């Protein structure tokens, strides 16, 4: 096979067949499903969760991951924070003519590794090759199906005094991608936090059935995600700035670039809203996991509202300011 992708790899002929069999089917180990136009799947519940996402990150390779790992973890996490157990993924590739076959193989391998780690199966997919200049290297779309077992989020149970917990340091993914863009000239040792969180989340909801709601603070960061929760469920919330877990490198880079870590994207973080009386137990439980070792209580629900809710942050000096959703383009193509 040629060392790069040509238009012939997408024409449905011999090269396309070889690409599918030697790269995708071999890595994803789904030869039985690949013989049909649709995968026949078994699900253990009547209530399913279904999610999809597209990944156009630039650069494709970044510290701590690549677009393939991101595509699997992103959809696994979307299902997981909805309370579902992820089972199956589909994947669609749009590849630019001239893309290196070696890079494609590395990306596909990382997808297979992340899927195995998460315990999900990539059972169907599609490949299109487009002319040089039509896309920027490689775009990936993933869709996922999961099922609900004994737990479903109940945001209607959110009460005044409930605590907001994050499972680790914020802004790592955003800084890792920023640093990989050479023109920014940032040098540090922070890797992306990109990771599938389904095992951690399933362990938490099994141990603590009273978890009110979960969200992954990806684009727009922690602040935008919490603003959406406040607005959607009519609550006021306050974040304690001095309690935010932020690595020194992330904090320093944000100072230099004029970014607020609260708005920087994360790809391996989850926000939990839990009853106040179990907050310490939840954090101690999270600390048992690698993805939760830096978990912290970062805020609380201060009021239940009939009108649209608002998010505030308190500073170490005691001042209070309102936070809004991200309104400007801070860092495009972050996922």
């Amino acid at each position: 096979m040629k060392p790069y992708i040509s238009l012939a790899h997408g024409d449905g002929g011999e090269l396309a067949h070889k690409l599918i069999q030697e790269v995708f089917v071999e890595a994803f180990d789904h030869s039985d499903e690949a013989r049909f136009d649709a995968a026949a799947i078994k699900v253990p519940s009547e209530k399913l969760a279904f999610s999809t996402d597209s990944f156009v990150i630039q650069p494709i390779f970044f510290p701590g991951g690549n677009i393939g790992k991101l595509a699997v973890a992103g959809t696994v996490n979307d299902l997981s924070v909805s309370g579902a157990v992820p089972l199956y993924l589909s994947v669609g590739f749009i590849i630019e003519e001239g893309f290196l076959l070696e890079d494609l193989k590395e990306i596909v391998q990382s997808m297979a590794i992340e899927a195995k780690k998460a315990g999900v199966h990539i059972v169907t997919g599609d490949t299109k090759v487009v002319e040089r200049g039509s896309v920027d290297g490689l775009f990936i779309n993933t869709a996922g199906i999961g099922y609900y077992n004994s737990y479903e989020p109940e945001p209607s149970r959110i009460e005044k005094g409930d605590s907001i917990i994050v499972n680790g340091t914020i802004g790592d993914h955003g800084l890792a991608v920023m640093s990989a863009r050479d023109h920014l000239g940032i040098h540090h040792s922070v890797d992306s936090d990109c990771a599938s969180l389904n095992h951690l989340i399933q362990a938490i909801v099994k141990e603590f059935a009273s978890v009110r709601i979960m969200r992954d603070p990806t684009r727009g960061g922690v602040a935008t995600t919490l603003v959406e929760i406040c607005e959607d469920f009519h609550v006021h919330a306050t974040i304690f700035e001095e309690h935010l877990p932020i690595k020194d490198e992330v904090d320093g880079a944000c100072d230099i670039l004029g970014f607020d870590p609260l708005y920087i994207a994360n790809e391996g973080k989850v926000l939990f809203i839990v009853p106040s009386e179990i907050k310490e137990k939840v954090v101690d439980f999270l600390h048992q996991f690698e993805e939760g070792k830096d978990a912290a209580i970062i805020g609380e629900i201060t009021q239940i509202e009939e009108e649209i809710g608002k998010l505030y942050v308190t500073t170490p000096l005691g001042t209070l300011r309102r936070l809004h959703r991200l309104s400007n383009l801070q860092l495009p193509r972050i996922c």
Side-chain angles (χ1 to χ4, degrees):
M1 195 180 297
K2 294 179 180 178
Y4 56 85
I5 298 296
S6 69
L7 288 174
H9 283 104
D11 68 0
E14 182 63 22
L15 276 180
H17 177 74
K18 280 189 174 181
L19 181 69
I20 292 169
Q21 293 298 323
E22 296 178 9
V23 178
F24 303 121
V25 173
E26 183 175 332
F28 297 153
D29 192 26
H30 65 310
S31 54
D32 289 342
E33 290 86 356
R35 291 177 299 173
F36 302 98
D37 283 345
I41 55 177
K42 294 180 180 178
V43 291
S45 169
E46 291 184 351
K47 187 167 183 179
L48 303 179
F50 182 37
S51 183
T52 187
D53 205 346
S54 296
F55 299 85
V56 298
I57 191 169
Q58 180 53 243
I60 287 172
F61 294 94
F62 50 84
N66 61 51
I67 188 172
K69 179 182 180 183
L70 183 66
V72 172
T75 297
V76 165
N77 291 343
D78 283 345
L79 292 168
S80 300
V81 297
S82 300
V85 180
L87 287 176
Y88 302 104
L89 298 183
S90 73
V91 58
F93 295 89
I94 299 178
I95 311 170
E96 182 183 21
E97 175 189 15
F99 193 78
L100 289 176
L101 185 61
E102 182 182 0
D103 286 349
L104 180 63
K105 286 181 176 178
E106 182 176 344
I107 289 165
V108 170
Q109 275 301 323
S110 71
M111 296 182 78
I113 291 170
E114 188 64 21
K116 186 175 182 181
K117 197 184 301 180
V120 299
H121 300 281
I122 300 174
V123 292
T124 188
D126 182 52
T127 304
K128 295 290 187 297
V129 180
V130 296
E131 297 87 347
R132 197 182 299 268
S134 296
V135 297
D136 190 4
L138 174 69
F139 294 162
I140 297 177
N141 172 270
T142 46
I145 290 178
Y147 73 97
Y148 290 95
N149 49 18
S150 58
Y151 175 83
E152 289 187 41
E154 291 191 44
S156 61
R157 293 186 303 166
I158 295 176
E159 297 179 358
K160 180 180 178 180
D162 282 353
S163 297
I164 302 168
I165 294 171
V166 66
N167 65 311
T169 55
I170 65 173
D172 297 0
H173 177 71
L175 180 63
V177 176
M178 279 190 262
S179 67
R181 295 179 182 177
D182 291 336
H183 61 282
L184 291 179
I186 302 173
H187 302 285
H188 60 82
S189 58
V190 176
D191 285 345
S192 166
D193 59 348
C194 175
S196 299
L197 299 175
N198 54 318
H199 298 312
L200 176 144
I201 289 172
Q202 284 299 310
I204 283 286
V205 298
K206 184 178 179 183
E207 186 75 14
F208 304 99
S210 57
V211 171
R212 315 290 200 201
I213 191 172
M214 302 170 286
R215 285 281 175 86
D216 51 341
T218 53
R219 281 182 300 174
V222 167
T224 298
T225 302
L226 287 176
V227 167
E228 289 173 352
I229 290 176
C230 289
E231 292 180 353
D232 289 346
F233 304 111
H234 294 191
V235 298
H236 285 352
T238 297
I239 298 171
F240 313 127
E241 190 175 76
E242 60 186 327
H243 294 174
L244 291 171
I246 305 173
K247 290 175 179 167
D248 290 341
E249 296 96 323
V250 175
D251 205 25
C254 285
D255 271 348
I256 293 170
L257 297 170
F259 292 153
D260 185 339
L262 278 168
Y263 290 94
I264 300 293
N266 311 273
E267 290 294 345
K269 296 297 176 297
V270 53
L271 295 166
F272 300 95
I273 295 182
V274 305
S276 176
E277 57 267 26
I278 65 167
K279 62 184 179 185
E280 298 291 353
K281 291 180 180 177
V282 171
V283 169
D284 288 345
F285 191 82
L286 282 167
H287 286 166
Q288 301 174 54
F289 298 83
E290 176 62 26
E291 297 89 352
K293 59 185 173 64
D294 296 315
I297 302 162
I298 63 168
E300 66 180 14
I301 303 299
T302 56
Q303 197 171 327
I304 306 298
E305 279 289 311
E306 290 188 4
E307 304 296 329
I308 195 167
K310 297 173 184 174
L311 177 68
Y312 298 90
V313 60
T314 59
T315 69
L317 297 176
T319 58
L320 183 72
R321 65 184 170 92
R322 185 178 173 187
L323 295 175
H324 299 270
R325 69 180 70 238
L326 183 64
S327 57
N328 297 314
L329 190 60
Q330 186 167 243
L331 193 66
R333 299 186 58 183
I334 197 75
C335 60

